[in-house]
Amino acid sequence: MGASIRPAVYTQEKVGLRDRVRIARRWGTGLHLNVWYVAIAVFLFAVLTVAAVMGPIRDYYTAWREAGMLEVEYEVVSQINEGLTKDVERLNTLEGIEDEARRRGYVYPDEEAIVVEGLEEEQVSEEDAVKAALAEYEQNLPWYVHVLDDLFDYKHK
């Protein structure tokens, strides 16, 4: 009963690297192993992080590329639509109807029809126009987009 209880006193001393190595050797562990464990843990964390975000990044890139392709396709179809709208407006006039009838070979009774051969108009279908515009768009993309296409295995549908 005569022993007095004394609180433990903790001091914060600056411990240098040499002291840490000495203490680690005394306890049977090497400081170099701890560095390797940290390096391996950081590497594994980086690999797992890249693996975790690769799917969403690939989805975002695919959506971005598809949006670019759809934009080009929309522009081509809009131009075709504008041309067809102008044709409809022209054909709603008397002069437009007469021009289209003459183009198809009809003439008034007091006129004489003349057929010119060898001057065929080149008809480009909507599908061919879209394909040509998409091919031009693909050719004008910067080099890094083609690298990212290969990296994310992107192929246009």
Side-chain angles (χ1 to χ4, degrees):
M1 286 230 201
S4 64
I5 299 176
R6 191 176 78 175
V9 177
Y10 293 101
T11 60
Q12 266 190 320
E13 298 176 18
K14 291 191 176 182
V15 179
L17 182 61
R18 286 184 187 167
D19 293 332
R20 289 181 190 203
V21 170
R22 185 176 45 82
I23 292 169
R25 284 187 182 151
R26 184 184 311 160
W27 289 95
T29 61
L31 184 63
H32 64 282
L33 291 178
N34 291 340
V35 172
W36 280 109
Y37 290 147
V38 170
I40 289 171
V42 167
F43 176 74
L44 287 176
F45 178 76
V47 168
L48 291 175
T49 301
V50 168
V53 299
M54 190 62 135
I57 289 174
R58 180 178 176 210
D59 292 343
Y60 176 78
Y61 180 77
T62 302
W64 177 73
R65 288 284 281 127
E66 286 296 323
M69 297 291 224
L70 290 173
E71 227 175 271
V72 170
E73 190 173 342
Y74 176 75
E75 288 175 14
V76 171
V77 171
S78 292
Q79 289 174 356
I80 292 171
N81 191 25
E82 284 178 21
L84 292 174
T85 303
K86 287 179 183 177
D87 284 347
V88 168
E89 289 172 359
R90 184 181 59 86
L91 290 174
N92 281 332
T93 64
L94 183 60
E95 294 84 21
I97 294 171
E98 288 176 351
D99 289 342
E100 185 63 24
R102 286 193 176 102
R103 191 179 71 78
R104 294 181 182 215
Y106 295 100
V107 292
Y108 282 115
D110 58 339
E111 295 178 340
E112 192 172 313
I114 299 176
V115 178
V116 179
E117 293 182 10
L119 295 176
E120 295 179 19
E121 289 184 21
E122 185 178 328
Q123 295 290 332
V124 178
S125 70
E126 179 180 334
E127 193 173 311
D128 292 338
V130 169
K131 285 181 183 178
L134 289 176
E136 183 181 342
Y137 172 73
E138 286 284 331
Q139 287 177 346
N140 292 333
L141 288 173
W143 63 270
Y144 58 85
V145 173
H146 296 293
V147 171
L148 290 173
D149 284 351
D150 293 337
L151 177 69
F152 292 120
D153 194 31
Y154 172 77
K155 291 178 181 47
H156 179 62
K157 298 173 185 172

